[in-house]
Each structure stands twice: as C-alpha cells, then as structure tokens.
Amino acid sequence: MGKGRSALFWELRQSIGQHKFTTSWDGEIISSMKGKKNPVYKSKDKKEARDLRIAGYGGCGKLTRPLLETLRVSFRERKRFQTAMNAFMQANVKTVCTASRDPVTKNIVLTYDFGGMRVSDGSLDEADVTATVDLETNKVMFSQEGTVIPGGLAREDDLLYGCMCTAVEDEKKVMKSLLVPLRERGESGSTSSAIPAGWNKAAMFVYAFAVSADGKYSSPSTRLYPPPTAEEIALAEAVEAF
C-alpha cells in the first residue's frame, strides 16, 4: 500500500487493473492492491471457518436497516467519516450473529443474540431507566428517577431514549424496532409506549441509552427487558473485577 499527494488530482477514487485508489480525509491518495476474487485455502476447514465468519458479519449487517431510526440518534461518538451503521457493526459484528452449518441440509443457519446487542455506545453514563412490560395490555412503561450522580459524565439535560425490538422469523427482515423518546436525565417520571400490533412478544427486547443535549456524546445501551439473568449478572461482575 502506498500514500502520496497528487498535483493533478484533488481526489481520486477509481480502480485501474489490480490497483485501487482512494482519498483519505486529509487529502492523501492511497494506492492498494485488490484482494483476490477467489482466495485459495490450505484446508476445507479454514475455508468453512471463513465462510461462516463472513455469513455472521452479513447477518449482523441485516440489523442496521430495521434499527435505522435508533441509529440516527445513538452512536454519537464516531470516528471521522464513520456512519452510525458502521459504528453499530463495529460494536456488534463479532457477537450479535453467529453462523453454523445445518448437518442435514448443509445450509448456513444464522443465530442472533439480541440480549447482548448494543444499540448505542459512548462515554456518557448509562441511562438510569427501568421498564415494565405488560404483555396482556401490550404496554411498555419506562420509568426514571431523575438521578444524576455528581462527578460522572452525566448531565441533567441529557436526553434519554428507549429502543424496543422484536425478532422476526424471516431471513430478509430478521427484526423490527421502535425508538421511544423519554425524558431528560434529571427529570423523574414515566413514559408509556404501546407494543406494535403483530409483534412477536415472546421474542421482544427493550433497551435504554442517553445522548447529550448537544448531540456530541452518547452512552452504552442497557438491556432492560428481559431483565439480566443471574448468570449474566455474575459474568458482568467478574469482568468488572478483572
């Protein structure tokens, strides 16, 4: 890979043979070789591992479209020229979707871990919100106490949001989601949201996150429903202790 500046071109984004040219944010033109279209693997196991890994990455990418409304608000602390969808992929691509091979049909099967999915990330303190889900009345009640811990990266005017998701048994759609604007962090109260008609309530997840009033910072998301299991709590405590 080579870098340089051209007296003829301000920007160059083109391919010539096996050479690919791109322009970085600071004006440098980067030259690199294209990857092989048909890479050769020393063993079938390595090729299979690569195919499953790529399939898992693609499965994660399918979530960005149904989450678009939320991603337009979350992941505020992005690298220059990085989109919110790119930030979501970076945070989730290795964990939220795994691929395996069906032993009978030999087809690739995608398995999603929505419980561990992050719909937001950043340096702000997490949103102090709880959620009560009533499946009979189709209501989700978000409650907040308006607590701001001094000395942390939280402000009373931070904007809090809820995100409701449900799994869909359709390889093309995978998931549906709904963004729920809540109150400011320093305000106590409750916000009610209806569960949309037709949602698979047995496969529903609810998250919360915070965004600074100026829109520059965001917090990691917190899964509110289903509540964390004892095993998940113990694992989180072990990670923090380490």
Side-chain angles (χ1 to χ4, degrees):
M1 183 178 69
K3 294 184 179 181
R5 296 181 183 273
S6 173
L8 298 177
F9 305 101
W10 286 101
E11 181 176 0
L12 184 60
R13 300 179 187 275
Q14 188 58 271
S15 295
I16 302 177
Q18 284 297 107
H19 296 273
K20 181 174 66 176
F21 298 93
T22 57
T23 302
S24 65
W25 65 269
D26 60 355
E28 281 194 326
I29 295 176
I30 302 171
S31 171
S32 60
M33 296 294 291
K34 294 181 180 179
K36 295 181 179 180
K37 292 184 178 180
N38 298 305
V40 178
Y41 296 90
K42 294 183 179 180
S43 69
K44 291 183 178 180
D45 290 342
K46 288 186 176 181
K47 181 180 184 302
E48 175 70 357
R50 181 262 185 188
D51 291 345
L52 294 178
R53 184 172 64 253
I54 296 301
Y57 292 173
C60 181
K62 291 181 180 180
L63 303 180
T64 57
R65 186 171 182 181
L67 280 172
L68 187 57
E69 186 180 17
T70 294
L71 297 182
R72 285 172 175 167
V73 177
S74 62
F75 287 101
R76 306 308 300 178
E77 300 174 49
R78 306 192 299 269
K79 298 177 182 179
R80 189 168 184 176
F81 297 120
Q82 185 184 39
T83 67
M85 290 185 288
N86 293 149
F88 171 84
M89 289 291 293
Q90 184 176 353
N92 294 281
V93 70
K94 294 183 179 180
T95 57
V96 78
C97 181
T98 55
S100 59
R101 183 79 64 177
D102 187 292
V104 178
T105 65
K106 304 302 180 182
N107 295 329
I108 291 179
V109 179
L110 300 180
T111 303
Y112 288 89
D113 176 22
F114 293 115
M117 183 172 66
R118 285 188 279 175
V119 299
S120 178
D121 204 2
S123 62
L124 283 186
D125 292 354
E126 295 180 353
D128 187 9
V129 179
T130 59
T132 302
V133 179
D134 191 328
L135 299 180
E136 293 184 1
T137 61
N138 292 323
K139 293 287 185 180
V140 177
M141 184 67 70
F142 295 90
S143 301
Q144 53 191 95
E145 297 297 330
T147 303
V148 178
I149 300 175
L153 296 177
R155 299 293 180 268
E156 291 189 352
D157 60 354
D158 288 343
L159 305 176
L160 304 189
Y161 293 89
C163 176
M164 299 163 52
C165 301
T166 185
V168 178
E169 295 181 0
D170 185 330
E171 289 187 359
K172 294 182 179 180
K173 295 182 179 179
V174 183
M175 182 184 68
K176 295 180 180 179
S177 75
L178 178 68
L179 178 68
V180 184
L182 306 179
R183 302 167 186 267
E184 292 185 356
R185 192 194 290 269
E187 184 180 353
S188 298
S190 300
T191 305
S192 177
S193 178
I195 300 174
W199 270 34
N200 180 5
K201 293 181 287 187
M204 193 172 72
F205 294 85
V206 180
Y207 314 84
F209 62 94
V211 175
S212 62
D214 60 8
K216 293 182 179 180
Y217 306 99
S218 52
S219 78
S221 59
T222 303
R223 193 188 85 207
L224 308 180
Y225 179 86
T229 63
E231 183 179 354
E232 289 173 330
I233 293 174
L235 179 60
E237 291 176 348
V239 171
E240 290 181 0
F242 181 77

